[in-house]
Every structure is written in C-alpha cells, then in structure tokens.
C-alpha cells in the first residue's frame, strides 16, 4: 500500500496528448487510465507520450490519446 495510489486518474480517449502530458507533469503520474465515458479502453503511459514526442509523429495539440 505504501507504493500504490488509491486515487485513479482518468483521461478521455478524445483528449489531446498535450492534456495528457500536462496531467503527467502536474500530478507526477506514470500512467493514466483512458476511458470512453465510464468504460476503460486503455492505459497511457508517460513513456508513450515521450516516445511520441521523440519520434516527432505529430503536434501534441492535434494528436489524440486513442
């Protein structure tokens, strides 16, 4: 329990990667649960966002989580 959090942070699958990057930074998280309404559709990691930036795939404002 010392290393686990009980407060889960979610992000909409329609959110931009810029929003996700901001959440990762401000909340010091490593993973976000990606949801469609109340349904879990995936997990986004901080590493996923960093790779996206590193590979220059798209601008963060236009790129979507899903």
């Amino acid at each position: 329990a010392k290393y686990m959090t009980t407060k889960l942070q979610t992000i909409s699958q329609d959110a931009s990667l810029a929003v996700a990057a901001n959440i990762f930074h401000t909340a010091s998280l490593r993973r976000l649960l990606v949801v469609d309404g109340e349904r879990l559709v995936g997990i986004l990691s901080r590493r996923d966002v960093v790779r996206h930036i590193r590979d220059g795939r798209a601008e963060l404002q236009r790129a979507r989580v899903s």
Side-chain angles (χ1 to χ4, degrees), residues 1-56:
K2 178 179 170 183
Y3 298 104
M4 297 179 67
T5 181
T6 56
K7 181 181 175 196
L8 300 176
Q9 181 71 44
T10 63
I11 189 167
S12 168
Q13 68 177 0
D14 297 323
S16 71
L17 287 182
V19 170
N22 186 48
I23 293 170
F24 283 130
H25 176 70
T26 58
S28 298
L29 297 173
R30 292 186 180 179
R31 290 174 188 81
L32 288 171
L33 301 177
V34 181
V35 295
D36 179 13
E38 292 187 16
R39 196 183 99 191
L40 178 66
V41 293
I43 299 174
L44 180 68
S45 72
R46 180 185 290 243
R47 181 177 285 179
D48 294 334
V49 176
V50 169
R51 285 182 181 160
H52 192 86
I53 294 167
R54 181 195 67 202
D55 295 345

